[in-house]
Amino acid sequence: MKFLVLLLVLALRRLDFTWPQWMLDRHRVSQVLDRWRDKVDPFGLAGVVRWLVLVALPVLVVALVLALLHDILWGLPGFIAGGLLLLWLLGGESEFRHVDDLLVRSRMNDPARLAEGAEAHFGMAGAPEDPGYFGALLRRVLQQDARQLFATIFWLLTLGYWAALLYVLNLAMLRNDDEDRQGPAWMMHTALFWMPARLLVLCLALAGDFGRVADVVRGRILQLDNSEALLNDAAAAALDIPALDSVDAEQGPSQLEALQSMLLRCLAIWLILGALWTVLAG
C-alpha cells in the first residue's frame, strides 16, 4: 500500500497546485531541527546525544504513532498520515518541475530569471554566463535529486516511513550542524546513502550508455565515501560528455535538458525496481 501512497504523492507533486509554504520551503526540515536545536543546545549535549534527541527520538515516536494508526479502520488513518509525512519530506513541488521551469526561462533567453530560479530551487549562486555555472548547476541538480528524491524513496520502499524520516532528518542535521566529518550525522549519512547511490549508478547506466558508465565506475563501486564523485562521473558518462564541469554556457541548456530526461528515465526504472521489491517482500 505504501507504494500506492508513493505514486499518489509523486503525482500530487507534479500538479500545478498552491501548496502551503511549510511544504514548499527548501529548508523546511532544517528549520524544524533548528528550532529544537535551540532548546537542546543550552544543555550542552554532545554530538551523539544531540543526534539521538533530534533525529532518533522523533523517528521512534513517528514509527510508534504510525503503527498505532495502521491498526485503526483497516489502516486508513495510517496511510493518510504516512502520505502527509512523505509529502512533507519530499516537498510539495517536484524537482523535475523546477528544472522544467529553468528550461523554459532558458528558451525565453532570460538569464536573470534563470539564475533566480536556480538559486531559489537548487541554491545555485551566480549567473549563467559565469564560467563553470552550468557544470555546477548540473552537479547540484543531480546531487539534490539523488539525495532528496531517490534516496528517500529507496528507504521508504525498503523499510517504511520511519526509515525515510530517519534519512531526511539525518540529512537535514548534517547540512546545518557544525560537527566535523566524523560526527554521527555524517557517519549515518555515509551509511544510509551508500546503497541508494550505487543503485542510482545502475539506473544511470540503464538509462544512458551501460558500457561507458561501467568503465567509469569500475573499481570504485564498493568504496565507502565517494558517492558524490561516483554519481557525477556516472552521469557524465551516461550523457556522453567528458565531465559535468566541462559543460559551458552554450551547451548548458541542452545538457540540462538531457540530464532532466535521463533522471526521469531513472525515476521510472527506480519505481519499477520498487514495485518488484514490494511484490517480492510482500
Side-chain angles (χ1 to χ4, degrees):
M1 188 66 178
K2 63 187 177 184
F3 185 76
L4 297 179
V5 172
L6 170 63
L7 294 180
L8 176 61
V9 169
L10 292 178
L12 289 174
R13 297 176 79 233
R14 292 288 286 179
L15 295 178
D16 188 9
F17 184 78
T18 302
W19 295 100
Q21 189 59 35
W22 59 272
M23 280 194 177
L24 297 179
D25 197 324
R26 291 180 59 246
H27 306 290
R28 60 194 175 281
V29 182
S30 301
Q31 289 171 354
V32 172
L33 289 182
D34 286 341
R35 286 196 294 269
W36 284 99
R37 184 184 288 112
D38 293 338
K39 299 178 181 180
V40 171
D41 281 348
F43 296 99
L45 298 179
V48 174
V49 178
R50 186 165 60 249
W51 182 88
L52 290 173
V53 172
L54 296 177
V55 178
L57 181 59
V59 169
L60 177 61
V61 171
V62 169
L64 291 175
V65 170
L66 286 176
L68 291 174
L69 291 176
H70 275 91
D71 289 334
I72 303 173
L73 295 175
W74 307 282
L76 183 60
F79 293 123
I80 295 175
L84 292 174
L85 174 64
L86 182 60
L87 192 58
W88 179 67
L89 293 178
L90 294 177
E93 291 183 342
S94 169
E95 297 82 1
F96 298 108
R97 282 191 62 197
H98 294 160
V99 177
D100 287 340
D101 180 54
L102 298 184
L103 291 172
V104 169
R105 297 180 184 190
S106 173
R107 295 187 188 104
M108 295 176 64
N109 195 23
D110 191 347
R113 293 193 62 210
L114 190 154
E116 178 184 348
E119 184 172 5
H121 301 319
F122 298 100
M124 181 66 198
E129 60 270 16
D130 294 341
Y133 178 87
F134 275 100
L137 179 58
L138 291 175
R139 293 199 315 272
R140 188 69 61 92
V141 170
L142 172 65
Q143 294 299 326
Q144 184 164 313
D145 283 6
R147 295 180 189 276
Q148 295 186 0
L149 178 64
F150 285 93
T152 303
I153 292 176
F154 172 85
W155 288 114
L156 170 74
L157 296 179
T158 304
L159 295 177
Y161 297 105
W162 69 268
L165 178 62
L166 172 64
Y167 174 79
V168 174
L169 287 180
N170 188 83
L171 179 61
M173 186 172 181
L174 175 66
R175 289 176 172 174
N176 291 274
D177 211 333
D178 293 330
E179 293 176 326
D180 59 22
R181 295 171 73 89
Q182 300 302 318
W186 174 260
M187 291 187 288
M188 180 61 70
H189 178 69
T190 301
L192 291 175
F193 190 57
W194 190 88
M195 182 58 74
R198 271 67 192 170
L199 287 178
L200 185 52
V201 168
L202 173 61
C203 291
L204 288 169
L206 294 173
D209 187 292
F210 195 95
R212 283 198 304 266
V213 175
D215 289 339
V216 166
V217 303
R218 182 175 291 116
R220 305 164 56 195
I221 199 72
L222 296 180
Q223 296 175 12
L224 292 179
D225 193 16
N226 67 339
S227 296
E228 182 173 342
L230 193 71
L231 284 172
N232 290 339
D233 293 343
L239 292 172
D240 194 17
I241 57 178
L244 296 183
D245 288 331
S246 67
V247 176
D248 55 28
E250 183 177 353
Q251 302 170 326
S254 61
Q255 292 298 339
L256 181 61
E257 186 172 11
L259 178 64
Q260 166 88 327
S261 177
M262 185 171 63
L263 288 176
L264 282 170
R265 295 195 299 272
C266 287
L267 180 60
I269 297 171
W270 202 260
L271 293 176
I272 291 172
L273 295 175
L276 291 174
W277 170 261
T278 301
V279 171
L280 294 175

